[in-house]
Amino acid sequence: MSETTRPRYLIGGLSESSQKAQPLREEVTLLFDEWRAPVMRYLLSLGLRPQDGEEIVQEVFLALYRHLSAGKPRHNLRGWIFRVAHNLGLKRRQAGGGLQDWNEVSDRQSDPSPNPEEALAAAQRQQKLLAVVDALPEADRVCLYLRGEGLRYREISEILSMSLGAVAVSLSRTFGKLARADK
Amino acid sequence: MKHLTDVEITMASDGEITGADAARILSHLARCEECRARQAEIEAAMKAFLSERLHISSGDGPRALLRAKMNEAELADTGWQRTAVIAAGLALLLLAVFGTGVFETPVEARSLPDPVITPGAALPLTARDVCAVHETEVNPVVPQAVAYKVFASYGIQPKARAYEMDYLISPALGGADSINNFWPQPYSTSVWNAHVKDALEDHMRKLVCSGELDLAIAQRDIARDWVAAYKKYFRSEKPLAAHVNFTKDRAWE
């Protein structure tokens, strides 16, 4: 049998199940492209190292692929992705996954072309805000980072198994602290 | 007038107020300058926090890795592996009964790797990372112990200079030093041999580094079916004459 006609087992294979799987792989790849960076940021906020974060992101999206392959619910996939990432992240941390030294991380978003005075002021402001965030109780910090990634309060409450009211109180307390530090 | 709480203001700013409270809170905000000032402070804090988020670098490499894992998962889920195990068991049984003469189709005839043994693996690198290193600096030799393991997994008796221990996704395209990315590729038995694949790898790297081809797509195409990738990128149904004896990587010996 020539190479071009022998059965193929990767993408584009001949089996019916492979043909069905291909659009699903494309869908999961699109979700990966959209949500990898937010999920990575969230995992780093849990204190995980980048290499652990990358591994967990892979696990999350592979689990998503299996979840969808099995015909399980598609309702609120964004919440599902973060919930699985949160659980795997905590598990990795408990298993002794090394923690990120935040002093090593400097690749934060910033104004690309400030003048020296603006750059100094921005750096000072950043230090103040980071100090506030670092000093937050973990539950508040986690709520804040999920909110930062655009999740709705209901999604946050489901991911963290908190009441909706507790999420609102946590966020308002945190934004209050940030606002005081930013004055 | 009783002012709004920080919780109500935060929820209003986040668009999280619903139901009966919505009208009361929004109308209060419209009338109360003090609460609006507090809302402005809270929103400025939100904005400041969001502007300080970490920047996460491109996901080209991780995307290719995920796709390889999904391929692998799909194979396992469709029961192909189970079928392969049963087939291997039957083969061993026939071998025991009839001797080695039964199996004339050599494993060596492969032009494509076994996708279960070698799904391909890539490092989490961007095109910029990959192209920043000169091609000649990313041509590592697979350790002998690993090479023997790969030969064993393919059921091949190692033969010096007959194979290239090939990276399915080449290091020059961000391929990883992983057993999932190695396969014994014959030089001699097929039109689509190791010489031809070397030429393809060279060409694809040039396309990636000139910005004409996305790295993740290059990794995906070469891992999926390098023969199809050759036809696609060289627009030729057969190996070009210049590529038949093209040699870049060393033979295994």
Side-chain angles (χ1 to χ4, degrees):
Chain A
M1 191 183 288
S2 78
E3 300 75 27
T4 50
T5 56
R6 85 179 180 74
R8 299 304 331 283
Y9 302 109
L10 286 174
I11 295 175
L14 300 176
S15 73
E16 198 182 332
S17 58
S18 289
Q19 285 169 8
K20 281 182 187 164
Q22 190 164 354
L24 190 55
R25 282 195 290 265
E26 298 305 326
E27 183 186 358
V28 174
T29 304
L30 286 175
L31 286 166
F32 178 84
D33 288 344
E34 187 178 359
W35 290 104
R36 172 182 165 270
V39 171
M40 258 304 271
R41 253 196 306 268
Y42 178 66
L43 290 168
L44 296 180
S45 80
L46 291 179
L48 291 166
R49 291 180 302 208
Q51 61 267 39
D52 289 318
E54 287 285 12
E55 282 177 22
I56 292 171
V57 168
Q58 292 283 325
E59 282 184 60
V60 169
F61 284 89
L62 193 58
L64 176 65
Y65 175 71
R66 291 185 189 283
H67 176 84
L68 296 176
S69 297
K72 291 186 180 165
R74 293 175 153 269
H75 170 68
N76 192 9
L77 289 180
R78 175 171 74 167
W80 188 96
I81 289 167
F82 274 92
R83 190 164 62 248
V84 174
H86 175 79
N87 292 337
L88 289 174
L90 292 189
K91 207 166 137 190
R92 177 68 63 100
R93 215 172 57 175
Q94 281 161 5
L99 297 185
Q100 174 68 40
D101 177 356
W102 285 97
N103 293 324
E104 291 172 10
V105 177
S106 59
D107 196 12
R108 292 180 182 272
Q109 288 180 347
S110 56
D111 184 346
S113 56
N115 64 38
E117 290 80 17
E118 284 170 343
L120 179 64
Q124 286 171 341
R125 185 185 189 199
Q126 181 180 327
Q127 284 305 318
K128 273 201 288 186
L129 292 175
L130 285 177
V132 172
V133 174
D134 285 345
L136 289 173
E138 177 157 22
D140 287 351
R141 197 166 56 240
V142 167
C143 266
L144 176 69
Y145 277 106
L146 288 172
R147 161 65 184 80
E149 297 307 340
L151 273 78
R152 309 299 302 176
Y153 288 13
R154 184 161 298 285
E155 292 171 312
I156 298 173
S157 78
E158 284 169 8
I159 292 165
L160 301 179
S161 303
M162 292 164 73
S163 71
L164 209 54
V167 173
V169 168
S170 165
L171 286 172
S172 75
R173 189 166 51 216
T174 299
F175 286 128
K177 287 179 185 173
L178 287 170
R180 273 197 297 281
D182 203 29
K183 269 185 182 170
Chain B
M1 179 168 58
K2 190 184 168 201
H3 291 299
L4 297 176
T5 65
D6 272 2
V7 173
E8 288 169 327
I9 292 174
T10 304
M11 289 178 79
S13 292
D14 265 341
E16 295 279 354
I17 301 280
T18 53
D21 279 346
R24 175 183 63 81
I25 291 170
L26 295 177
S27 88
H28 182 101
L29 273 173
R31 287 180 281 113
C32 176
E33 201 175 323
E34 203 173 318
C35 286
R36 279 205 305 279
R38 179 65 181 154
Q39 185 182 31
E41 280 177 6
I42 286 175
E43 286 182 352
M46 284 180 183
K47 201 173 156 200
F49 167 71
L50 292 174
S51 71
E52 298 301 340
R53 292 185 310 167
L54 282 171
H55 173 67
I56 303 292
S57 59
S58 155
D60 289 355
R63 186 196 300 115
L65 183 60
L66 175 69
R67 293 189 65 96
K69 286 181 178 176
M70 286 192 287
N71 287 334
E72 208 174 349
E74 199 256 317
L75 288 173
D77 293 347
T78 53
W80 184 85
Q81 281 181 320
R82 192 176 57 230
T83 310
V85 168
I86 293 167
L90 279 172
L92 283 173
L93 185 65
L94 286 169
L95 187 67
V97 174
F98 298 108
T100 54
V102 175
F103 300 102
E104 293 302 329
T105 308
V107 182
E108 284 90 333
R110 288 175 182 281
S111 291
L112 296 167
D114 184 320
V116 173
I117 304 170
T118 318
L123 295 167
L125 300 173
T126 63
R128 204 163 64 170
D129 298 332
V130 164
C131 300
V133 182
H134 194 270
E135 200 178 351
T136 52
E137 294 168 37
V138 283
N139 201 7
V141 176
V142 179
Q144 284 296 74
V146 177
Y148 277 111
K149 215 169 158 184
V150 176
F151 278 121
S153 62
Y154 273 82
I156 293 176
Q157 186 66 37
K159 219 184 295 175
R161 290 178 294 281
Y163 297 92
E164 180 178 313
M165 187 48 68
D166 186 51
Y167 283 74
L168 178 58
I169 300 173
S170 75
L173 287 169
D177 273 321
S178 158
I179 198 151
N180 291 333
N181 197 35
F182 298 137
W183 68 297
Q185 189 182 21
Y187 278 116
S188 57
T189 51
S190 165
V191 177
W192 297 105
N193 59 32
H195 297 295
V196 179
K197 183 164 182 281
D198 282 354
L200 171 69
E201 288 167 359
D202 227 36
H203 183 57
M204 288 178 87
R205 179 181 160 92
K206 280 181 190 135
L207 292 176
V208 167
C209 296
S210 64
E212 292 166 74
L213 174 63
D214 182 74
L215 177 64
I217 292 172
Q219 291 171 340
R220 180 198 64 191
D221 285 354
I222 207 161
R224 185 189 282 178
D225 183 339
W226 74 265
V227 174
Y230 183 99
K231 292 174 182 172
K232 175 178 168 186
Y233 292 107
F234 282 114
R235 297 174 191 280
S236 169
E237 283 302 303
K238 290 179 184 171
L240 302 174
H243 297 159
V244 174
N245 288 313
F246 184 97
T247 301
K248 177 170 60 76
D249 298 331
R250 289 168 26 169
W252 182 83
E253 50 191 348

